[in-house]
Each structure stands twice: as C-alpha cells, then as structure tokens.
Amino acid sequence: MKLRPLSAGLSLVLLGTAAAPTAVQAFSPPKTGQAAAAAPTGCTPAPANPTTDNVTDYRLDTNVVAPGRWSYQAISGDATGLLGKGGSGAFAADEWAADVKKPEHAWFVKADGSIGTDYRAISETYTVADAADGKNVHIRGSFSSPGGRFRVLLAHDGDSAVTKGPFTELYTYTGTAASFDLNLVASKGDDLLFVSDQVTTWWVPGKLKASITTELAPETAAVTATPGPGAVKAGTTVQLASATKDACIQYTTDGSDPRTSKTAQPYLAPFAITGDTDVKAVAGANGSAPSTVADLPFVLSEPFRAFVGENQGSQTGLVAGAQWDRMDFDWGAVEPAKGQLDKAAIAEYVRQFNLAKSHGITILPVLAYTAGWAANWTGYSYDFHGKTYEYGPVKSENKGQFTRQLVIKQAGKVLSTKDVQTSIGRTPPQHPDDWKNFVKLAIDTLKPLGITYFQVWNEAYPGSGFWEGGMDQYMTDIQAPAAQVIHDAGVKLVYGGWICGAPLSEYIALLDKYKAWKSIDVFDMHYMPIGTMQTIYAAAQKRGIKNPSVWQTELGFTTEDKFIADIFPRTFHWALSKGTGDLDQFKLFYFAEWAPDDPNAFGYNRTLRTGSNLSPKGKTLVTLANLLRGSKAQTYDNFSTTPELKPELNEALSTANGFRLDDKRVVLAIDLKRQNQANIFEDPNTGDTIHLDFGEPTMTVTLRDVRNVKSLERVDLYGNRTPLQWKSIGQNQIQAEVPIIDPDPTVKALNQTEQEDVFYLALQQN
C-alpha cells in the first residue's frame, strides 16, 4: 500500500558551479590518562559575511526591490510584478495577496517566509547588495512545498530598483522538498529569484529557507562531531572539531542558537550523551568569518524505539522517536534509460538517507519498481490458482499504463479475451539481469551510508496492484536474483511484504517450493494478525533457521484509535520473550505517518499525524513510547491480576503484558475486552468478573520482585497519570486496587467507543 510518493518521479537538475565540500579533520581521541586538548580561546573572527535570510529580512510594511533585501513578485516568462498588500477574509494581517479583489483565489505570502500559489509562478526575490559587486556569492538553503516545481533564477539586469529578464536558470527541482547549494559571481543589482510554480494544491503553503553570503572574508569550516549525529548508546562520548586550524567552538545542547543563546558554552573537552540531545555548534577563527551553525542531533538507541517504524515519515524526526522509516528507491528515477544514471536523483536519495541517519532514523529502502525501458513489451504468461493468464505484446502506452490483450484460460479452455491496462512499473522486467544491475546500484549507493537491510519489491501478488505477474515469475526473476546480489554484498534481504489478502499457508508453501527460506533474512508481512508472526517464526525454525527475524513493515491504516495501544505491547512482549537481544529481529512499521486534515482525503483518521497535529493513534504511540523508554528492556511476568490476565498474541483476548526497564521501572500494559452487551469481563478460570462501566470498578494487581518502590501510577492512553496507593504483602511484593474507568472524559469516551479498556501501570523504584 502507498499513501503518497516520496521520491517517485524525482527530477533534480543543478546548473552552475557547486560548492566544493570542506575537508573535515576530527580530533583524535585522547590517550588514556591524557586530557583532551582544549580548543583555543580568544578567537577574534572577522566580521560575519553579510548573510540574508528571507524570513528574517522580509518586511511586512513594504515590498520593494532594493539592494541587500528581499521582495515578493509574480513572474510570467521574463515579466515580473511586485505583489501588493491587501485582501480580506481568507487572509490574516501578516499576509500579502496578489489579487486583492479575490483573496480566496490569490497567491499569498506570509511574514514567516511561507508562500502559497497555484499553477502560476510566484517568486521570493533577493537583490544583490552593491558591496557584493564582483564577489563570489554562495547561495544555500532548502525549500518545502505541497508538490510542484521550484527554481532558482538569476537576472543580470544591473538595475537595483527593478527586476527584469531574461533569466538564467541556476537550479530546478520538481517534488516536495530539497536542499540546494550554489556559487556564482555577482554584480550589483543582480536579482536572484526563488520561484514556486506548477503547484495545484496552492492553499498548502510552501516555505523557503535561504542564506546568501558574499566572500568578503573566509568562512570558518563548520563544526563536525565524532561520532556523527544520529542514534547512539547512552554514555557515548562526543568530540567536536572544525577543519579550520585553531578554530574555537561554541555549542549548546538544548537546540538553541549557539551564537546568541545564554546556554552556549565554549567547547573544551568531549562530553557524554546521556539523553536525547540536540547539539548546535558554531566555529570561529582569527581573521575568519563565523561558520554556519551545525545541527548535530543525538538520540538514544533503545529497544522499543528500534522495534517501532513508520512509513513515509519525516527524515528529521518520527512520531515518538521511532527509529525506522521506509522509502521506495525507484528504479526508473535513478536509471531513466538503460545504463544512463540520473546522478542528481541518486544524490537526492543520498541526501535524504543521510539526513535521516543524522536524526537517528534508519530508512528501509524498497527496491522497486520496473523502469519503463526495462518492462516486458513482448508478452508473457503465468499460472495462478488453476488459471493461465496470457498477456500479449504491448499495443499502446499512455500515462504509465500499457494496453495489451489478456487471455484467461482454465484447463486449456479460453474463459475470456479482452484488452486491459496494466501499470508499466508493476510489469515484470524483460531481462532479469537488468533488475540485478539495479539492485547492485542500490546497494552500491546506500550500503556506504550504513544501510544494511534492503526490501525487495512490495506486496508482489497478482491483484495487489503492485505486481502484474505470477508468483513463480516473481520468485525466479525478482526474488532469487536480488537475493544473490544482496548476499554477495554482505547485506540483508527483507521479503517484500506478504499481502494480507493471501493466505499465510500460501506464503509458506511458496518458500518451500523454491527452497527460499535461507535466502530471506527477514520474513515480512503486511496487515496480518500479530499471531501470524509466531506462525511464520515457528515455520522458519522448523526449516532450520535458529532465530528468524519477522517484521510487519505495513500495519495499521485503521480508524481504530486504540490499535497501537492494543497491538504494540503484545508484540513487543512477544519479541522480548525470544531473548536474543537483537534489536532488529522483530519490528512493526505503522502505515502511514501522515494524511491531510481533510475528511475527504485518502487516509484521513488512519494515520499518526493529521495535518500538522498528532492523531489519537499518534498520541497513544507517544504515551507508550514514553513509558517504554530505556536502554534495557526485558519482559516482566512476575505479576498477577484478579480477574486473571496474561500475555496474549490473540487480539480478540484481554491481556496484560509486563516490562522491566533499566532495572528501575516496571510497566504493565492492560487491555480489557468487553465480552458481552452487559460490558462484563469474566475470568473463565476463576469465575471472577468485573462490570467495566458500573460504579467504580477496580481490579487487583499484585507485583512481585519489586524493591524500594517509589511510586505507582495508573497511566491512560494519552499519558494522564493518577497516583495509586499500594500495600506491601510480603518481601518485595506489593498489591494495589487499580481503577478501570478513566478519570479524563476524553480518554473515557475513547475507551467506551471502541468497547475495550486500555491503560497502563507504571512503577518507579528508587
């Protein structure tokens, strides 16, 4: 399943001279017993290069073309026109509207640097200052948009009061987000236009963040960290350095700007990461301009975070600190013609994977789908469920679709003959060797970035919409060649997600038929009951795999708001019970992270974020992740409840799953299903019952092997905490009466609506 493409159709063209990368020289680790060399103090940097930022420098009171500042213009061909302030109704006071008579249909620009447009072009324009005449100008920044084209244009008009074409195109990109880095020699009065156009969903604003620097003084090399930013173990020691000789470094650990923050401090020695830490650092050197501010975020690598993934999330931070994301690595985007590589598209993938890594996120690349030039044009056939499907040669091609004749037969008899349209990208490749070469390209590109898991295709199954062939064809032409290349490279293969619409027994039989069990490193399924993870785990063990890895890289996409609170604790407990300590052995990826805040939009009320806000599912994931934080997680089963609850993978049954975290905390995840119309839960072993919404029902919980208890709290789905009283009932044992009904009316209504009560117990030891 896909909700929105991240990289499909990627087109990135970069004209002009790219800035040369700065060499990085990291500090050597100090020898044992030797203090780390202190960074020099007393640096006297040159005045900072004139740097302008469109958010900082945009002035609401006026919009004129002038040296060293920004303006906002409409652009049509080589003609431009300033936007005039105005409008009412749809626009707030801090916005400009191009059409003051119809603001609800106009372009607009806000004072925070975000702009909205439609298919027409609007530009954020910077006029080069007179002091930059003849100097090298460095333009760097990023943009985001709801989708469309972004361009950087240059006007060599020499007039500092107006903007006139013709324009030279320095950069163009079609998509939702990218970064750019350009150099050019400037003349006074030149204009740089950052243009957003060809956007259809204009009411969703895009945003530009651009800095323009002239080389009036050399710039200190930016600060780097060793190890690099990303996921690290608690206690990891970080060293900061600049490649500029004798540079001094100022840094913060709270994400604030080290140039101005009161928490900034000089870097004198390596420091330890003990929690999620957003390090920002700036370097300066005698006679040089200050460096750019380096953003060096570190997050703690923890069992639950490694267990949780999302689909189609942000590379700069996922919901609840999840540490896995999933993204298509598109064959047609990186190899638009046989043997012809799109280096810009590949560079954009590298940028996205590196950006994710720097924020502690590992991306699982999905190697797919068939490039148009590589698809089978001549015809093919396959057998499936007792029928033969014969696809003839391609008759025509239009908008990503083939038209070809399909003949369906059974026992040699023709059942139907008709022309059908099939997706070009989902068509089997004409030559499997072309596919093998693409898989090698993907590994050669991503393995150096630390990517060790590669998913082969997605939901390959007739009728899934992702594969227009048979399963035998898939195993011989896609799976087997990919497995060979992947394992020759020393990385791991993730099966492409067994589709929920097909029986799991068919998956097992398919792997048996092709003796493929040991060629697969991760057995992946989509939208399956979590009990099937144990089924495939046991089947793999039976076939000689000692510790099989089982993931679901798509799960969820449901309107059930308690889905995560119900499913994830059950599965995490099951995963920990295997006791291998391998954080990558079991995972759940929720599909998908985001959908628009629009009831008519595909995915509405099924994702972790709705627009810019967390959905109820997102909030429940945040609560669960906060409770299960810790560098060490184990199962905790030394408890009892009355009525009796125990760990259950069967989602239809009530359950309690216990966890011990860092040997300091215990968490119980409790899920009570309503068993009948009277809302009564019954323990079938003892006959004990609880009427879940009558009076003030409670259940008795006994916790054993707990010492020096500091606090015991009931935590609801949204993280609201209620302190509980407990009593000691023997050595290292306590007992408490736990309320069933949520005090918070919003959470209470949520539980009532979905006919089950989910809550947690959180115990803290001294």
Side-chain angles (χ1 to χ4, degrees), residues 151-171:
R151 295 179 287 158
V152 181
L153 307 179
L154 171 68
H156 263 309
D157 54 52
D159 189 336
S160 61
V162 296
T163 304
K164 295 182 292 187
F167 301 110
T168 301
E169 187 173 86
L170 302 178
Y171 176 90

Side-chain angles (χ1 to χ4, degrees), residues 627-646:
L627 286 168
L628 298 181
R629 293 284 321 254
S631 58
K632 180 182 178 182
Q634 302 168 291
T635 59
Y636 170 79
D637 299 318
N638 202 0
F639 70 90
S640 60
T641 66
T642 303
E644 182 183 3
L645 297 172
K646 59 183 179 180

Side-chain angles (χ1 to χ4, degrees), residues 377-390:
W377 286 66
T378 60
Y380 59 95
S381 66
Y382 61 86
D383 294 326
F384 181 67
H385 289 183
K387 296 179 181 178
T388 300
Y389 296 78
E390 297 179 352

Side-chain angles (χ1 to χ4, degrees), residues 625-671:
N626 287 339
L627 286 168
L628 298 181
R629 293 284 321 254
S631 58
K632 180 182 178 182
Q634 302 168 291
T635 59
Y636 170 79
D637 299 318
N638 202 0
F639 70 90
S640 60
T641 66
T642 303
E644 182 183 3
L645 297 172
K646 59 183 179 180
E648 296 281 2
L649 278 184
N650 186 339
E651 300 156 40
L653 300 178
S654 299
T655 185
N657 294 277
F659 307 92
R660 191 185 290 277
L661 303 148
D662 290 335
D663 297 321
K664 297 178 180 179
R665 294 179 293 116
V666 169
V667 172
L668 256 59
I670 295 173
D671 186 337

Side-chain angles (χ1 to χ4, degrees), residues 547-616:
N547 292 308
S549 294
V550 185
W551 299 1
Q552 292 210 52
T553 60
E554 288 188 31
L555 186 74
F557 202 61
T558 174
T559 58
E560 183 186 343
D561 287 331
K562 293 202 294 296
F563 177 85
I564 286 172
D566 184 352
I567 300 303
F568 279 55
R570 297 173 189 258
T571 315
F572 189 50
H573 184 276
W574 171 78
L576 292 176
S577 72
K578 302 305 179 186
T580 65
D582 179 1
L583 298 186
D584 291 334
Q585 188 173 2
F586 306 102
K587 297 185 188 298
L588 296 180
F589 286 51
Y590 190 89
F591 188 96
E593 198 215 38
W594 181 88
D597 189 8
D598 178 358
N600 296 317
F602 180 70
Y604 180 75
N605 196 31
R606 294 176 179 269
T607 57
L608 299 177
R609 295 188 195 272
T610 302
S612 59
N613 299 315
L614 285 175
S615 70

Side-chain angles (χ1 to χ4, degrees), residues 304-360:
F304 187 73
R305 285 179 162 184
F307 170 76
V308 178
E310 300 172 16
N311 281 262
Q312 303 174 352
S314 163
Q315 281 114 25
T316 57
L318 302 179
V319 173
Q323 291 183 333
W324 281 78
D325 198 358
R326 183 168 169 259
M327 177 192 298
D328 288 356
F329 190 86
D330 188 79
W331 185 0
V334 299
E335 191 180 6
K338 184 178 177 65
Q340 175 186 320
L341 302 184
D342 188 330
K343 294 182 179 179
I346 293 172
E348 175 60 15
Y349 275 120
V350 169
R351 184 194 70 81
Q352 293 184 52
F353 276 72
N354 273 330
L355 180 61
K357 180 180 178 181
S358 72
H359 287 80

